[in-house]
Amino acid sequence: MIAEPNAASTLPSQKENAVHDETVPESPTQNGTCVRNGNLKTPREKRKVREQCENIRRNSPASRRVSQLQNGEVVEAVTLFEVVSMGKQAMQSVVVDWVEAYKQDRNVALLDLINFFIQCSGCQGMVTAEMFQSLYKKDVMQKMTETFDKETGLQYKKFMAYPWILTVTWPMDMDNEDYPLIRTGPYWKKFKANFCEFIAVLVQQCQCSILYDNYLMDTIISLLTGLADSMVRAFRHTSTLAAMKLLTAVVSVHLNLDVNKHNAQRLYEVEKKRLSGKRTSYRLDQLERKRKEYEHKLLEIQNMMNAIFKGTFLTRYRDVIPEIRATCMEEIGNWIKTCPDAFLNDSYLKYVGWMLYDKQAEVRLKCLLGLQGIYSRKELVSRMDLFTNRFKDRIVSMPLDKDHEVAVQAMKLLMLMSQNCGDVLSAEDCEMLYQFVYTTHRPLAVAAGEFLYKRLLSHGGDKVQPKGGKFGASTDQLKRLIHFFLESELHKHVTYLVDSLWDWAGKFLKDWECMTTLLLKNAEEAGEALSDAQESALIEIILATVREAAEGHPPVGRGAAKKILSVKEKKIQLEDCTKITEHFIMVLPQLLAKYSTDAQKVANLLQIPQYYDLDVYSTGHLEKHLDALLREIKDIVAKHSDMSVLEASSRTYYILCREEIAIYSQVDCARTQMIDELMKQLNQLLDCFWQKEGGFCMDAGEISRMHSTLRRVAAFHNAHDLTKWNLYDKTLRFLVFETEHGSLPVLIILPALQCTYFSLLWQLAAVSENSPKETLFPLRRQLRHFSQICTCFLHHKEKDVREKAFMILCDWLLILSHLDSNNNEDAVGLLGYLPNTELQEKLFSFIQEHVFMDGEEEKKDLAEEEKDEACKLDDLHKKRSLLAAYCKLIVYNVVEMTAAAEIYKYYVKTYSDFGDIIKETLSKTRYNDKIQSAKTLILCLQQLFQTHAESQDSSNGVDFSSPSFANIKELARRFSLTFGWDQVKSRESIAMIHKEGIEFAFQGATGGDGKCLPPNLSFLLIISEFSNKLLKPDKRLVTILNLLIRGYILEVYS
């Protein structure tokens, strides 16, 4: 890595380290050494350093300049810190140079290393090192402290790094928590890796020589232990990381020594047997000395490991800084995996288990990753019994963790435990974990899918044994999957189940031949046929797998956007689409014929053709299968009146009837023939229905047939233009009759209203740039007439008709107010329509009556109808749809923005049911016009305040303790929270709220003696909820406001 020029200011500016002899008052016999580290800022500090230190340039190998090119310029590094900052390329050679320097003069080299660790902590002060030679050890230890010198403004830390007594002096601004390990940017992101690499390389280079000299490691361990006890975060974090990496490197040395020791032992035993007849042998003595040497080194290494563990880990694994705790957990996991003989016991595992309960996700994550490395090795699992029994319940609960990554890694750990720990997970645990396949967070769902597939589907369960045959194994897996799906009772979530299993069970989920063969089996084949519920579930699974294979991205809710496929993934997707088309072109007509009477099954099966590669029909000469499909769809339309089936049939025709594909003429002919038959049937019913002008036949059978026919026509009119059949006049007659007489059945009104709406939409879509005015005037009259009918139906006696008319009217107004008509200005002028004030009032009155109904009325309705939970949810869904339709009119300026003030009044009261819709409306209107949106908010608060004031006794003023006033304040607080943290962005809106609020508060002020206060002055208490969003220059207004509030309160209570 090359040092960045802009980081130069953060690096020490001194190019040399200074050494001098110093007399210490406490111990006249000590030899002192002063190492200067960085610049001191004040002249007094500089004088102090000059008086204490005499700079002497050292000419040792460790101080050789390392040069690298950066942007054509030479960047020179002198200190170890600068070399590590520049990258790994020069690190090896510098460590070798440092080792050579240590062998020549270990004190000078150690000062270099001490200086390095202090610099890595971000300290730009001074390090003073004194040799510890005093016999008065207690006096020295009493001075091991960390203090602040008020006279110089410097912070001091004095501690033992045997045989050194180190005094670190640094400016107070080091407490700003800015040091290399936490700095941002690409340069500093690599620093941590380089720092850790340096420690590993240092131990590696020293392991054959100076590592065991009882001087180097003692000093480093003492230094890091002392720094780790500092109150300064930079020292604590840096030294803890260094100590943990140092122990990791020492553990590697321990492993190598252990291997060498065992090798030497084996050679010794072999040599001893070979020379059993001789008493002495030079070779045998040599091997014995080698073995003892290794044992001695192992003993020293173990002492080092214990010193680091007890001196640093035990004091820092529960540090207040989460990064330090995470570092400790990460490294102890590495020690256990690397050296299980020394660390894989409950004395060390307990720390990992305890930290699974840490409040910070980063720490919990490191614990889980460490445990994954242990549980993935079967030879280690047998030694984890006590830990598993103690902490299993905690691990099983962690997939519910609020942090997504922790939850994912917990699920992966449970997968490893399930594979390698036998029956450690109970059936109840597994059932709970299986349900995570339905979660919206895809990585967690995929991990749960792996758990479900490997534990339940691919093996295990085995209630159904393979019976041979072509699809024996796949059939068993499918039946287990169907059984799980039905047992989970989340039938609407099959798409999420398939998506969770896709990465692990994609092969058998794409075995559509096996699935359809299972569906088409005859009931006579004993034990092979599925039940009705199993068939329905399998059809849903087929549809979900087809969709997943054809679209190649997760379902809605599992990902913010569609997945960008790679070239390989696109190739697989095309191959799957071809496979789907070639198989279902022949099989789908058979399936539709078998299940033609089951609406749910047919509706799902009819969605499969939308994923076809339609060119296969012509290229594969499969037109006969297309005819079979069209015949089945025609029969299904004739049999069913269920809207899901009819809409699926209509969409299938829409997919197949594209003008650019070769089969268009064939499908268009079949579609025209079917619609002709539908219209013929409708005309016959109409002739029988209208017996005379102004009357109709009330026969129940005919009404049912009319209802079914109109539903079929409406379903097809939604996706296909039926204008040439002149449907508008036929359905409009029903609506006109209902407005005049009001006696038509609801079963006829609803589809007739829908058909009329679709007819007008298709006529609007047909308006082109060259459409003459003469053709636009009749259309304009039709549009206005239909709007009047919908407005009239808002007060219909039937609730379903009222709600349907409201939804159509809202969509209708939105379309008419935003007409484009292919740049035809005449068409926009004639056909465009905005609701008048009267209509706007009617729309809001409808919302108030049907959505924001009073509690008493709602309780009355519930008591009368005795609705169950499903009905309540269905009603809530309808109310949300009605409110969303009205709010769209506000957002798109069809209705005046001030109308939103009435909606905002219910924000807190109905937050659980409609809070998200109201909040989104507020956000969109603010985006459109932030000033007008702010005025709308203040208007809402003013209206509520006036209502509250009118309900109070005028002689006593406004009651601040009343629930209604508290509700207004809470609403204002909620409004202020919607502005977020960007005060600059919301400055104009907040200023407008204060301006309008203050003007309202001082309305009605009379007299100059101050005895008659404005009646609305207490409104300032409500406006004060927004004052924390003001910028500092604007807060002078708040000061005046607070004074006014105080004066008013004193006046009221005096």
Side-chain angles (χ1 to χ4, degrees):
M1 182 191 298
I2 307 300
E4 294 182 352
N6 58 5
S9 61
T10 63
L11 300 177
S13 60
Q14 298 296 324
K15 298 293 184 180
E16 61 271 27
N17 296 328
V19 180
H20 77 291
D21 294 334
E22 174 181 341
T23 302
V24 182
E26 295 89 338
S27 179
T29 61
Q30 292 178 355
N31 294 326
T33 308
C34 175
V35 181
R36 186 170 180 180
N37 180 14
N39 293 329
L40 299 178
K41 298 181 178 180
T42 65
R44 182 169 186 172
E45 295 167 11
K46 294 180 180 179
R47 285 197 304 273
K48 189 173 184 180
V49 173
R50 282 198 300 269
E51 292 170 0
Q52 292 180 346
C53 302
E54 179 182 355
N55 294 332
I56 301 174
R57 183 181 301 274
R58 290 184 288 106
N59 189 19
S60 65
S63 63
R64 294 173 186 169
R65 297 177 180 270
V66 181
S67 301
Q68 295 185 11
L69 288 177
Q70 176 177 309
N71 299 329
E73 299 180 359
V74 176
V75 178
E76 296 184 347
V78 172
T79 65
L80 291 174
F81 175 73
E82 291 173 337
V83 173
V84 171
S85 300
M86 291 172 64
K88 300 178 182 179
Q89 295 178 355
M91 196 177 299
Q92 190 80 20
S93 61
V94 169
V95 172
V96 172
D97 286 347
W98 184 88
V99 172
E100 292 299 324
Y102 180 87
K103 291 177 180 179
Q104 296 177 14
D105 188 341
R106 64 183 187 180
N107 289 336
V108 173
L110 267 177
L111 288 176
D112 254 349
L113 194 59
I114 292 170
N115 186 40
F116 164 73
F117 284 116
I118 299 300
Q119 283 182 302
C120 288
S121 299
C123 180
Q124 297 184 9
M126 181 179 67
V127 180
T128 303
E130 309 164 10
M131 291 299 295
F132 174 57
Q133 299 174 354
S134 173
L135 298 177
Y136 303 101
K137 184 176 181 181
K138 292 183 179 179
D139 295 337
V140 176
M141 295 305 294
Q142 289 175 358
K143 298 180 182 294
M144 302 294 107
T145 183
E146 186 169 330
T147 59
F148 172 64
D149 188 344
K150 295 182 179 180
E151 182 180 355
T152 61
L154 299 176
Q155 189 85 6
Y156 291 89
K157 179 174 177 62
K158 189 173 186 179
F159 60 97
M160 174 72 71
Y162 189 85
W164 305 90
I165 300 173
L166 299 178
T167 303
V168 184
T169 308
W170 69 92
M172 276 301 294
D173 61 356
M174 187 180 168
D175 289 334
N176 60 5
E177 297 186 352
D178 178 28
Y179 53 97
L181 288 183
I182 63 171
R183 286 175 187 160
T184 58
Y187 181 82
W188 295 109
K189 283 182 180 179
K190 296 179 181 179
F191 174 82
K192 181 178 179 179
N194 298 339
F195 178 69
C196 298
E197 179 70 14
F198 172 81
I199 295 173
V201 172
L202 178 64
V203 174
Q204 181 184 6
Q205 291 297 324
C206 298
Q207 64 179 332
C208 297
S209 54
I210 61 176
L211 193 67
Y212 312 99
D213 66 351
N214 294 324
Y215 189 78
L216 171 65
M217 290 301 292
D218 289 349
T219 303
I220 295 177
I221 293 173
S222 298
L223 169 70
L224 297 179
T225 302
L227 289 176
D229 287 334
S230 173
M231 293 184 294
V232 179
R233 171 178 173 171
F235 286 149
R236 221 166 55 247
H237 189 182
T238 307
S239 60
T240 301
L241 175 63
M244 296 299 99
K245 292 297 181 181
L246 181 65
L247 181 50
T248 301
V250 170
V251 167
S252 299
V253 175
H254 181 276
L255 282 178
N256 295 333
L257 286 174
D258 194 52
V259 171
N260 292 336
K261 174 193 167 185
H262 283 87
N263 292 338
Q265 181 68 30
R266 286 197 301 270
L267 289 174
Y268 177 81
E269 296 295 336
V270 171
E271 191 71 16
K272 186 176 181 181
K273 290 180 181 179
R274 190 172 66 85
L275 301 174
S276 58
K278 298 180 181 180
R279 288 191 174 185
T280 59
S281 169
Y282 173 77
R283 174 66 175 165
L284 201 62
D285 293 340
Q286 186 182 28
L287 289 173
E288 178 68 14
R289 287 193 301 271
K290 197 71 173 176
R291 184 176 62 83
K292 290 183 178 180
E293 179 186 350
Y294 285 138
E295 289 178 352
H296 176 70
K297 287 184 176 180
L298 275 172
L299 184 60
E300 290 193 18
I301 289 295
Q302 289 172 359
N303 291 334
M304 296 176 194
M305 291 162 54
N306 289 333
I308 299 174
F309 186 83
K310 293 178 180 179
T312 304
F313 180 89
L314 290 183
T315 58
R316 298 276 68 85
Y317 84 97
R318 297 185 70 179
D319 194 279
V320 69
I321 305 300
E323 291 88 345
I324 297 178
R325 303 199 301 271
T327 298
C328 292
M329 290 301 105
E330 180 180 12
E331 294 307 317
I332 195 174
N334 292 333
W335 306 334
I336 296 173
K337 287 183 291 183
T338 305
C339 190
D341 292 338
F343 290 97
L344 187 55
N345 56 67
D346 297 320
S347 298
Y348 295 98
L349 286 171
K350 64 183 180 182
Y351 301 110
V352 181
W354 290 342
M355 300 311 286
L356 287 172
Y357 296 89
D358 195 274
K359 293 182 179 180
Q360 294 295 323
E362 180 184 2
V363 182
R364 301 194 298 273
L365 180 62
K366 295 299 182 184
C367 294
L368 291 171
L369 293 175
L371 290 174
Q372 285 179 17
I374 300 171
Y375 279 101
S376 62
R377 297 166 59 181
K378 289 187 177 181
E379 69 274 12
L380 302 182
V381 170
S382 60
R383 300 159 65 179
M384 297 283 292
D385 291 341
L386 184 59
F387 177 88
T388 302
N389 293 333
R390 170 65 179 82
F391 295 104
K392 186 205 75 171
D393 292 340
R394 169 57 181 163
I395 297 173
V396 169
S397 69
M398 291 186 76
L400 292 168
D401 198 283
K402 62 182 180 181
D403 184 84
H404 289 322
E405 186 60 25
V406 172
V408 172
Q409 297 305 326
M411 184 62 73
K412 291 182 178 179
L413 175 58
L414 289 165
M415 179 71 250
L416 294 172
M417 294 173 66
S418 173
Q419 288 178 327
N420 299 328
C421 295
D423 297 329
V424 66
L425 297 178
S426 65
E428 293 77 11
D429 293 335
C430 293
E431 288 296 329
M432 186 271 290
L433 295 173
Y434 291 156
Q435 300 304 313
F436 283 96
V437 296
Y438 297 108
T439 185
T440 55
H441 183 61
R442 192 172 192 274
L444 177 58
V446 171
E450 179 188 10
F451 185 84
L452 173 64
Y453 176 70
K454 292 183 178 179
R455 188 170 178 94
L456 183 66
L457 301 181
S458 62
H459 61 82
D462 292 344
K463 296 179 181 177
V464 182
Q465 296 294 333
K467 296 187 177 181
K470 183 178 178 182
F471 306 111
S474 295
T475 300
D476 294 336
Q477 286 184 333
L478 277 173
K479 288 185 176 180
R480 282 196 287 268
L481 178 60
I482 293 169
H483 178 73
F484 167 76
F485 177 52
L486 293 176
E487 288 294 320
S488 64
E489 298 181 353
L490 293 170
H491 297 180
K492 295 181 180 179
H493 297 77
V494 64
T495 307
Y496 295 91
L497 172 61
V498 169
D499 181 61
S500 301
L501 292 168
W502 195 254
D503 292 348
W504 308 104
K507 184 176 180 180
F508 101 85
L509 288 176
K510 293 180 183 180
D511 195 352
W512 295 295
E513 186 178 357
C514 172
M515 297 179 188
T516 53
T517 302
L518 196 59
L519 285 173
L520 293 171
K521 281 185 179 296
N522 296 322
E524 290 78 13
E525 300 182 32
E528 293 293 332
L530 301 175
S531 66
D532 182 69
Q534 289 175 328
E535 287 178 338
S536 298
L538 181 53
I539 290 174
E540 290 184 37
I541 292 172
I542 289 174
L543 177 60
T545 55
V546 168
R547 188 209 67 82
E548 187 85 19
E551 294 184 353
H553 60 78
V556 176
R558 282 193 179 169
K562 290 187 177 181
K563 179 182 176 183
I564 300 177
L565 303 179
S566 63
V567 176
K568 182 179 179 180
E569 290 172 333
K570 287 181 179 179
K571 182 180 178 182
I572 294 174
Q573 183 185 19
L574 291 175
E575 291 174 354
D576 288 341
C577 284
T578 303
K579 182 180 176 182
I580 290 168
T581 306
E582 292 175 348
H583 177 70
F584 283 98
I585 274 179
M586 294 179 286
V587 174
L588 185 59
Q590 302 175 42
L591 292 173
L592 291 175
K594 180 176 180 179
Y595 300 109
S596 60
T597 57
D598 193 315
Q600 181 184 359
K601 295 185 179 70
V602 168
N604 288 326
L605 289 172
L606 284 173
Q607 296 182 50
I608 295 177
Q610 64 182 298
Y611 303 108
Y612 281 3
D613 179 6
L614 297 176
D615 292 330
V616 174
Y617 274 115
S618 56
T619 58
H621 304 289
L622 301 174
E623 288 81 359
K624 64 177 182 179
H625 296 289
L626 177 61
D627 288 334
L629 175 63
L630 295 175
R631 283 196 303 272
E632 294 299 334
I633 296 176
K634 182 179 178 181
D635 292 341
I636 288 169
V637 171
K639 292 179 181 178
H640 291 276
S641 61
D642 184 86
M643 283 305 295
S644 62
V645 176
L646 296 175
E647 288 175 356
S649 302
S650 176
R651 180 168 177 77
T652 302
Y653 271 106
Y654 176 78
I655 294 295
L656 298 175
C657 199
R658 297 178 184 171
E659 295 183 2
E660 65 272 12
I661 58 178
I663 61 174
Y664 168 73
S665 58
Q666 185 178 354
V667 179
D668 182 56
C669 180
R671 179 184 62 175
T672 303
Q673 182 181 358
M674 185 193 65
I675 294 176
D676 282 337
E677 293 180 4
L678 279 177
M679 298 307 298
K680 181 179 179 181
Q681 183 181 0
L682 178 63
N683 290 331
Q684 291 175 353
L685 290 171
L686 287 174
D687 292 340
C688 296
F689 198 76
W690 299 106
Q691 293 180 342
K692 60 180 180 178
E693 186 177 355
F696 60 92
C697 177
M698 290 295 295
D699 180 74
E702 289 189 5
I703 291 176
S704 177
R705 288 192 292 274
M706 177 66 73
H707 168 69
S708 300
T709 304
L710 285 174
R711 283 170 70 91
R712 294 186 184 102
V713 173
F716 276 86
H717 207 357
N718 188 12
H720 306 272
D721 186 3
L722 308 184
T723 305
K724 64 181 180 180
W725 281 276
N726 193 24
L727 189 61
Y728 174 78
D729 293 333
K730 298 171 184 177
T731 56
L732 182 65
R733 185 178 178 184
F734 285 116
L735 305 182
V736 173
F737 183 88
E738 177 64 17
T739 55
E740 293 175 354
H741 300 88
S743 55
L744 276 179
V746 177
L747 294 178
I748 294 178
I749 298 174
L750 292 178
L753 190 62
Q754 197 76 50
C755 286
T756 309
Y757 175 54
F758 289 147
S759 297
L760 291 175
L761 286 181
W762 281 108
Q763 292 184 54
L764 274 177
V767 174
S768 64
E769 185 177 355
N770 299 322
S771 297
K773 284 187 178 182
E774 291 74 14
T775 62
L776 296 177
F777 282 110
L779 179 58
R780 183 188 183 193
R781 286 193 297 270
Q782 292 175 354
L783 299 180
R784 299 295 187 270
H785 189 197
F786 182 69
S787 299
Q788 293 172 1
I789 291 174
C790 289
T791 304
C792 180
F793 281 173
L794 291 179
H795 304 286
H796 197 275
K797 60 183 179 180
E798 295 291 341
K799 181 181 178 182
D800 291 340
V801 176
R802 295 197 300 267
E803 292 178 351
K804 189 69 174 178
F806 180 84
M807 293 296 295
I808 289 178
L809 184 59
C810 288
D811 291 342
W812 190 238
L813 292 173
L814 190 62
I815 294 170
L816 294 180
S817 62
H818 291 76
L819 280 178
D820 183 16
S821 298
N822 299 318
N823 299 321
N824 189 335
E825 295 182 1
D826 292 335
V828 173
L830 289 172
L831 304 180
Y833 178 71
L834 285 174
N836 53 31
T837 304
E838 181 182 0
L839 180 55
Q840 292 185 31
E841 291 176 355
K842 289 181 180 179
L843 291 173
F844 175 71
S845 298
F846 184 89
I847 288 293
Q848 201 166 23
E849 293 173 6
H850 292 77
V851 177
F852 301 124
M853 64 173 58
D854 295 334
E856 296 180 358
E857 294 179 4
E858 189 173 4
K859 290 178 182 178
K860 185 178 178 181
D861 291 342
L862 292 176
E864 289 177 356
E865 300 178 13
E866 295 182 354
K867 300 178 180 177
D868 58 10
E869 194 65 27
C871 292
K872 292 178 183 178
L873 290 175
D874 186 56
D875 285 346
L876 178 60
H877 176 70
K878 290 180 179 179
K879 290 179 181 179
R880 287 175 58 85
S881 299
L882 294 171
L883 180 61
Y886 180 73
C887 289
K888 279 196 296 184
L889 298 181
I890 298 173
V891 170
Y892 291 100
N893 298 320
V894 180
V895 174
E896 294 179 1
M897 193 181 295
T898 53
E902 298 292 340
I903 301 294
Y904 296 159
K905 293 178 183 179
Y906 299 93
Y907 181 51
V908 176
K909 183 179 178 181
T910 63
Y911 185 81
S912 59
D913 294 336
F914 312 116
D916 56 335
I917 298 175
I918 298 175
K919 188 175 181 180
E920 184 66 15
T921 304
L922 199 158
S923 175
K924 293 292 186 182
T925 53
R926 183 176 296 156
Y927 178 79
N928 294 338
D929 189 342
K930 55 186 177 182
I931 299 299
Q932 187 60 38
S933 176
K935 290 182 178 180
T936 304
L937 290 181
I938 200 67
L939 176 62
C940 171
L941 297 173
Q942 288 171 0
Q943 291 175 352
L944 288 173
F945 180 83
Q946 287 177 333
T947 303
H948 168 73
E950 290 171 359
S951 64
Q952 299 292 316
D953 187 358
S954 59
S955 60
N956 297 329
V958 177
D959 183 8
F960 300 145
S961 61
S962 65
S964 60
F965 190 83
N967 291 337
I968 300 173
K969 282 202 69 177
E970 174 62 18
L971 181 60
R973 188 186 70 83
R974 295 285 191 95
F975 285 162
S976 69
L977 292 177
T978 62
F979 286 96
W981 295 101
D982 192 346
Q983 293 178 313
V984 176
K985 184 178 179 180
S986 59
R987 181 179 186 180
E988 294 182 15
S989 299
I990 297 297
M992 179 57 66
I993 288 175
H994 281 80
K995 176 180 177 294
E996 295 285 333
I998 292 172
E999 289 179 357
F1000 175 77
F1002 283 94
Q1003 283 180 2
T1006 58
D1009 54 359
K1011 294 182 179 180
C1012 183
L1013 296 175
N1016 300 333
L1017 188 61
S1018 56
F1019 188 72
L1020 295 176
L1021 287 171
I1022 296 172
I1023 298 302
S1024 64
E1025 296 292 338
F1026 297 90
S1027 298
N1028 63 333
K1029 299 295 181 181
L1030 286 168
L1031 290 173
K1032 288 184 178 179
D1034 300 331
K1035 286 193 175 180
R1036 287 176 294 181
L1037 177 69
V1038 180
T1039 305
I1040 301 173
L1041 190 146
N1042 289 333
L1043 292 174
L1044 289 170
I1045 293 174
R1046 271 186 215 160
Y1048 175 66
I1049 294 175
L1050 291 174
E1051 180 72 21
V1052 170
Y1053 291 101
S1054 60

